[in-house]
Amino acid sequence: MTNKWKIKTLTHEQNKIKDILQKELGIHPLLCKLLVDRGIHSYSEAKHFFRPQFDHLYDPFLMNDMNKAVQRLNEALTNNEKILIYGDYDVDGTTAVALVYKFLVEFSSKIDYYIPDRYNEGYGISYQGIDFAAENDFKLIICLDCGIKAVDKIKYAKEKGVDFIICDHHKPDDILPDAVAVLNPKRIDSTYPDDHLSGCGVGFKFMQAFAINNEIPFSKLEPLLDLIAVSVASDIVPIIGENRVLTYYGLKQLNSNPSVGLKSIIEVCNLQNTTLTVNDIVFKIGPRINASGRIQSGREAVELLVTKDLTVAREKSNNINQYNDTRRELDKNITIEANAVLEKKDFINSSRKSIVIYDELWHKGVVGIVASRLSEEYYRPTIILTKSGELITGSARSVPGFDIYKAIDSCRDLLENFGGHMYAAGLSMKEEILPEFKKRFEKYVTENIEAEQLIPQIEIDAVIDFKDITPQFFKILKQFNPFGPENMKPVFCTKKVYDYGSSRLVGKDLSHLKLEVIDNKSQNIMNGIAFGMHEHNEYIKSSKPFDICYTIEENTFNGKTSIQLMIKDIRPSEEE
């Protein structure tokens, strides 16, 4: 599928702000354009952006119910009550449980954690988990990264004499569970200034409030920030506001002094001699932690993240690495099968705006990954479903700009359960409901999706010449880190570049392009790599001009570091 290039432009007012910033900051106007596009309109905002500080974090007591949550936790600790830390089985949930457990275990020996089984209990709070708490005399459950819709289950827990503090970041319904406290910045009545926190981030704010209330120095929380960086990156939440501060310092912790468990995962990923980035978490560290809950048990991931024993950590990291290999094989096979279904239905030539596929034999733990792959390949909101007990259940993934949660919410009367975010959600229904759900879901998508959301787009931050890419420009560009949603790595376009004569095909199957190119303005020579773009080789070698869009990277080879362009797309230059 051909990509549409969309070059971002500033309004007249934004250009005026850019010019003011350029005078105040004294940096390249292109960098000021990037700042304005990220909502930064003043010198002080730019200073906060480039120099994140802990004092930029908000007062945790601004969050609804925080006083109630801290009061109940203090009461539990004072009365030596048993406390159960309960969380989801994905990366965000397991890091959240690990963070809260590691902090509170210093104050009580009567703390344990519980991760529901993906297959026997399903997502979120389970009756089985509540029964476990009641039978083992846990009086308080701190629930992380789930629970916001568990109205009936919280009622059941109260009847069993078990209190709940809910720490969640998923969209709530109009009626909140009747828990002791419901900490969620997405509450309709939220008084908190930032609603982008991860589930682990909400747990951190709870611990921050507890620390303030009990005069525990913030420095006691700092060693836990590596877990937040992993949760924020893996859960694909916006890396702006508090998340930027927490991820910035979390990456510092991850690179300088990670916990024993994370250190062992870093070793398994062969990342121990590199400077870790958000990308390393998204593509290497996060999937391995996730694989535990997908293939075996999320509890093992928590055991790894909280251990102080390097031998235990390495053993569990190796286990988790093996789960990840199994996950990859399942993911590959199910993706092939799902593609075969779409080919059989001639989906490419159909007018359908959504994909909904069900197979009762598919592995529940990987349907979300398959949904992501298909949504990226076909550029359609996608739901992949499988059998789970008496119901069918699955995961939904969207395309940029389309709110798949709202689409599923429009069919809520057909569903047994659902929850999630704008771009990712989970749902379950009775099997006989599926035909009607497909019909209703397709109707909603067709009526609400924009035509351009069905075409893969590359958003380009700015058109630049090679002469702009100076060491000083790149030095400041690196300070835009950490990159992520709403602060993505800038994509640049340079028009009318030419092969310098030494561009060539590389790789075992010669599927990649190693470029050495110049533009027609500065005659600066730039190196680049274009993975999987061998089809452009003949045109490039024809000496005709072409346009490239790319990110700017640092490449280290034989101890020497240089700037390299990571090519995202190539197309022939248009004649003017």
Side-chain angles (χ1 to χ4, degrees), residues 500-548:
Y500 189 63
S502 54
S503 297
R504 63 193 186 279
L505 293 172
V506 295
K508 286 182 180 179
D509 53 359
L510 299 180
S511 62
H512 313 308
L513 270 170
K514 178 73 176 169
L515 298 177
E516 198 169 36
V517 291
I518 57 170
D519 64 3
N520 64 350
K521 294 189 178 179
S522 62
Q523 298 298 301
N524 284 8
I525 303 166
M526 297 296 298
N527 292 311
I529 184 74
F531 290 112
M533 298 188 198
H534 58 92
E535 72 273 13
H536 297 289
N537 185 54
E538 188 176 338
Y539 185 89
I540 287 169
K541 302 309 287 185
S542 71
S543 298
K544 293 177 183 176
F546 55 97
D547 303 342
I548 56 175

Side-chain angles (χ1 to χ4, degrees), residues 8-58:
K8 296 179 184 178
T9 57
L10 299 182
T11 64
H12 177 69
E13 283 302 312
Q14 286 177 318
N15 269 310
K16 283 165 56 176
I17 295 167
K18 181 202 76 175
D19 293 340
I20 293 169
L21 272 180
Q22 204 274 321
K23 287 178 184 176
E24 292 180 336
L25 298 172
I27 60 177
H28 197 291
L30 282 172
L31 295 168
C32 293
K33 179 182 186 293
L34 297 180
L35 290 172
V36 173
D37 190 57
R38 283 152 178 74
I40 294 158
H41 295 157
S42 67
Y43 178 87
S44 62
E45 287 176 355
K47 185 179 178 183
H48 277 205
F49 181 79
F50 285 127
R51 300 284 183 271
Q53 303 293 329
F54 285 131
D55 61 11
H56 298 163
L57 296 176
Y58 296 113

Side-chain angles (χ1 to χ4, degrees), residues 429-446:
M429 69 188 83
K430 292 175 181 174
E431 190 168 353
E432 61 268 23
I433 293 296
L434 182 58
E436 179 64 18
F437 174 81
K438 281 185 177 181
K439 181 181 169 184
R440 291 251 304 267
F441 183 73
E442 170 68 17
K443 184 175 187 291
Y444 181 94
V445 174
T446 300

